[in-house]
Amino acid sequence: MIQITNLKKSFGTSLIWENVNLTIEDAETLAIIGKSGSGKSVLMKHINALMVPDEGKVEIDGKDINDLSYVDLRLVRQKFGILFQGAALFDSITSFENVAFPLRYFTRWKEPQIRKRVLDCLEMVNLADIGDKTTAELSGGMRKRVGLARAIVLEPDYLLYDEPTSGLDPETSDEINDLIIHMSESLEITSIVVSHDMHSVLRVADKAAFLDEQKLSWYGTIDEMRKSDHKRLKEFVTASEYSISDENNRKGDTF
């Protein structure tokens, strides 16, 4: 479980947000939503201690991660897998080697063990036959899936997704959404999805946290979000739905 208590973050004199309180239960999928600049990715980086708060704390399985030693913090970070917005793959090596990288860096596994685990993870993201291709040869959606295979290769307890459908066409976005759901259900992983794509949020998430006006403005289940009369949340969701509708209409006009 992840417990966030009274979190505050500023950059210089610019306040990002304050008094953020949030509980992320085991095996649930939480979407962090909000406009550009609302601090979604900043909050995600606090969850695995890539950033340190001005005030407050983040507890992972009961441990305040900002009070841990360097060695203990490394162990906690190994509980996390991250799918970066641009996948963050090494273009000069094969897809297989990209997925194998964490195993070679963090474990003492022998090559037969590494090979089996990598091939299993590639199969889980429906890319069983592309291990020998460099990531430069892959489409954007395939790169995201290789990034996801790498994110799960160490069997993490938590998966962080940073704008997982950004830059993808609707069909490929749906494939990524299906994989997020599959990972959550089959691996019982706790997932945190940072996104402004409400189509994706409504499909994959159990709960949503809405960052707005330098605070956690709203938090609840997806069903509660659909029924909420929170003015700024409704405006954000409605604007997103219009964007999705417009995009679908534009794509429909091309056929």
Side-chain angles (χ1 to χ4, degrees):
M1 185 176 75
I2 300 173
Q3 184 72 49
I4 297 170
T5 307
N6 296 329
L7 216 61
K8 176 183 178 181
K9 184 64 179 179
S10 300
F11 294 122
T13 59
S14 178
L15 175 67
I16 306 303
W17 29 249
E18 61 183 343
N19 298 322
V20 173
N21 292 275
L22 197 58
T23 300
I24 306 172
E25 301 288 351
D26 290 341
E28 79 175 10
T29 299
L30 172 75
I32 302 175
I33 62 175
K35 295 179 180 179
S36 297
S38 60
K40 301 186 297 295
S41 293
V42 173
L43 180 56
M44 186 183 77
K45 289 175 182 176
H46 281 74
I47 289 174
N48 67 338
L50 291 177
M51 286 186 175
V52 178
D54 301 338
E55 298 176 8
K57 61 183 179 179
V58 177
E59 294 174 281
I60 307 296
D61 299 331
K63 297 180 179 180
D64 185 343
I65 58 177
N66 293 305
D67 284 343
L68 297 178
S69 68
Y70 175 75
V71 172
D72 288 338
L73 182 57
R74 278 174 60 92
L75 293 175
V76 169
R77 282 178 174 158
Q78 288 181 40
K79 294 184 176 185
F80 287 85
I82 305 176
L83 177 59
F84 297 96
Q85 183 172 345
L89 302 176
F90 302 109
D91 285 341
S92 59
I93 60 177
T94 66
S95 300
F96 180 96
E97 294 299 326
N98 267 279
V99 179
F101 181 82
L103 294 173
R104 296 203 169 111
Y105 188 81
F106 290 110
T107 77
R108 296 183 178 180
W109 286 18
K110 303 296 184 184
E111 281 303 309
Q113 292 174 284
I114 291 175
R115 179 171 180 79
K116 182 179 186 308
R117 178 61 181 162
V118 170
L119 293 178
D120 285 347
C121 289
L122 286 172
E123 185 172 358
M124 288 178 69
V125 298
N126 303 318
L127 291 176
D129 300 325
I130 59 88
D132 61 342
K133 293 184 179 294
T134 64
T135 53
E137 299 178 79
L138 305 179
S139 67
M142 293 171 76
R143 289 173 65 91
K144 293 263 189 175
R145 284 189 278 163
V146 171
L148 182 53
R150 185 179 63 184
I152 64 173
V153 75
L154 289 175
E155 300 183 277
D157 297 323
Y158 305 97
L159 261 179
L160 306 180
Y161 298 88
D162 188 9
E163 299 286 1
T165 59
S166 176
L168 302 179
D169 63 80
E171 184 176 356
T172 306
S173 294
D174 281 343
E175 292 175 0
I176 299 298
N177 290 333
D178 288 342
L179 285 172
I180 294 173
I181 295 168
H182 176 68
M183 295 300 165
S184 176
E185 293 177 348
S186 64
L187 303 179
E188 297 185 347
I189 284 179
T190 304
S191 303
I192 299 98
V193 181
V194 170
S195 183
H196 62 267
D197 178 356
M198 288 307 301
H199 173 75
S200 177
V201 168
L202 293 171
R203 185 166 178 186
V204 307
D206 301 307
K207 295 178 182 176
F210 176 51
L211 296 176
D212 185 57
E213 297 186 313
Q214 300 174 318
K215 64 180 183 292
L216 177 59
S217 186
W218 186 91
Y219 169 63
T221 67
I222 295 300
D223 187 51
E224 289 169 341
M225 185 175 71
R226 294 178 189 274
K227 300 173 183 176
S228 175
D229 59 0
H230 186 291
K231 182 176 183 295
R232 291 183 67 87
L233 175 64
K234 288 177 67 176
E235 289 174 350
F236 176 79
V237 173
T238 300
S240 301
E241 288 175 346
Y242 280 137
S243 297
I244 293 167
S245 176
D246 291 346
E247 178 67 14
N248 288 337
N249 287 338
R250 284 195 298 270
K251 290 185 179 297
D253 289 341
T254 63
F255 290 97

